[in-house]
Amino acid sequence: MKKISDRIFYVGVNDDDKALFEGLWPLPYGVSYNSYLVVDEKVALIDTVECGFEEEYLDEIREAIGEKPVDYLVVNHMEPDHSSLISLICAAYPDVKIVVNAKTVPMIKGYHGTPEERLLVVGEGDTLSLGTCSLNFYMAPMVHWPETMVTWLPEEKTVFSGDAFGTFGAVADDPTDEEGLFEQYRDEMIRYYSNIVGKYGVPVQTALKKLSALPVERICSTHGPVWKECAFDVVALYDRMSRYEVERGVCIVYGSMYGNTAAAADALAMELEKRGIPYAIHDLACNNAGELGVSGALRDVFKYDTIVVGSPTYNNGIFPPVETFMNALQARLIKGRRFYAFGSYTWAPASVRLLNERAAAMGFELLGEGLPFPQAYTEQKCDMSKLADLLA
Ligand code: FEO
């Protein structure tokens, strides 16, 4: 437990054991599931945590409020990383009322069999008094599920924002930020956004507009630090990402079976390096320890304006790990990117043509016909120097 202010206590947990968030996204620095107590004449708990932390979680809560009961459990978001321990809270605090909105009702019944009489259904702008302070509720659909809402505590100028402004990465014992912490989390925040919320740029923009009417001084998200000193930087980054705004630079993404497409990718990286062009390179087949695969590639697609994709021709199609990446781009409605494709083939050059077709369908600007090359990579067959000049 950590005291955030006179009324707010952090009772979240760090998960350093889980390898893949949502079963998909690597967690090299862990992740936190944040939960908060607002302690007044009444006690409100904002969201719960993932299962596996039952004992630790109840201990944290009891450390903050002793034998006092939890009067309200506010469910901002029903994804199980935040809702798994709802039943535990109901068992520990039999009189707790669960504060939800209408869209949450079928989900909480379906996941937990929660009876109707336990639910307190709130709508846009509704207020719940806790005594000397009050909670206000604002809907934020699709940030990240349709039932998502945020909770505003005006007396503390604090927003409990759900997944919005969240990041991968465990938090320190004192989760409140200090100057400069944002830079430490910046890359993991972009990766979190691009992996989890990236499809929902328009709803994030809508939520940001709504929040801009509030004098927010503290952001209590469900993942990552409590943002106070760095709140401005965090909001600015989410604003840029949800507009799909990027800087000039190249995200090289490739898969390779026998190293020829990989050699071409490395050659391009070297040429970009020589020219001082910002770039990132990702091996989707994850041949090296620590590779983030699609997860890391998506992060850098949200940073840079140019995507260069390498795929060998495989079964007369795109190499499957690269196809997965293209599907991920499409799912996130990425727009406004320059695109170029390359890759090795042995007898039929299909992959580059198919990659170009997919990129064109997503509205990307094709920078050329691409560079399919037969069999082994050589500089003569696949001139990455020329391509680097084109990308500059
Ligand atoms: Fe962290 Fe959408 O749950």
Side-chain angles (χ1 to χ4, degrees), residues 210-242:
K210 204 178 271 191
L211 288 178
S212 70
L214 305 173
V216 177
E217 290 186 358
R218 183 189 291 118
I219 298 170
C220 292
S221 161
T222 45
H223 301 289
V226 171
W227 298 110
K228 198 161 186 290
E229 294 298 320
C230 307
F232 178 84
D233 291 327
V234 169
V235 173
L237 178 60
Y238 261 74
D239 184 36
R240 279 201 303 280
M241 293 191 295
S242 55

Side-chain angles (χ1 to χ4, degrees), residues 97-355:
K97 278 277 181 195
I98 305 182
V99 182
V100 297
N101 65 71
K103 286 184 185 163
T104 313
V105 174
M107 296 185 187
I108 198 166
K109 286 182 176 173
Y111 274 112
H112 296 280
T114 311
E116 196 85 36
E117 57 272 21
R118 203 185 258 288
L119 302 178
L120 177 62
V121 180
V122 295
E124 177 75 13
D126 283 357
T127 297
L128 174 67
S129 174
L130 300 180
T132 67
C133 70
S134 56
L135 302 176
N136 299 279
F137 306 101
Y138 298 100
M139 304 305 122
M142 304 317 299
V143 188
H144 140 240
W145 279 10
E147 88 303 354
T148 309
M149 63 181 188
V150 300
T151 299
W152 168 240
L153 176 54
E155 289 81 1
E156 298 276 348
K157 293 187 168 57
T158 295
V159 65
F160 300 93
S161 62
D163 284 345
F165 313 116
T167 174
F168 290 138
V171 297
D173 284 345
D174 182 350
T176 301
D177 67 352
E178 54 193 28
E179 211 175 319
L181 192 72
F182 167 71
E183 284 306 323
Q184 289 178 39
Y185 278 86
R186 190 173 186 275
D187 267 8
E188 282 296 85
M189 183 172 279
I190 299 172
R191 195 166 67 87
Y192 172 83
Y193 179 87
S194 66
N195 290 187
I196 310 298
V197 195
K199 176 177 179 170
Y200 305 113
V202 171
V204 171
Q205 277 291 309
T206 304
L208 285 172
K209 282 197 182 78
K210 204 178 271 191
L211 288 178
S212 70
L214 305 173
V216 177
E217 290 186 358
R218 183 189 291 118
I219 298 170
C220 292
S221 161
T222 45
H223 301 289
V226 171
W227 298 110
K228 198 161 186 290
E229 294 298 320
C230 307
F232 178 84
D233 291 327
V234 169
V235 173
L237 178 60
Y238 261 74
D239 184 36
R240 279 201 303 280
M241 293 191 295
S242 55
R243 292 173 194 272
Y244 297 92
E245 280 182 14
V246 278
E247 57 193 77
R248 176 51 58 92
V250 180
C251 179
I252 307 168
V253 181
Y254 71 94
S256 192
M257 285 184 283
Y258 296 106
N260 292 298
T261 301
D266 289 340
L268 174 60
M270 208 171 68
E271 294 296 337
L272 295 174
E273 183 88 39
K274 276 190 214 162
R275 289 162 179 75
I277 299 170
Y279 74 94
I281 181 164
H282 293 281
D283 171 6
L284 296 174
C286 293
N287 288 313
N288 302 306
E291 285 277 357
L292 292 169
V294 171
S295 177
L298 287 173
R299 176 193 68 200
D300 292 322
V301 163
F302 273 80
K303 275 189 194 172
Y304 295 134
D305 69 343
T306 305
I307 309 169
V308 178
V309 176
S311 170
T313 293
Y314 185 89
N315 284 343
N316 207 30
I318 300 169
F319 188 42
V322 181
E323 183 117 52
T324 300
F325 168 71
M326 296 302 287
N327 293 342
L329 286 186
Q330 191 172 358
R332 281 156 186 78
L333 311 174
I334 307 283
K335 27 182 186 263
R337 298 295 189 274
R338 309 192 303 167
F339 187 89
Y340 196 89
F342 65 94
S344 164
Y345 65 92
T346 300
W347 70 94
S351 63
V352 167
R353 172 178 50 82
L354 293 169
L355 285 167

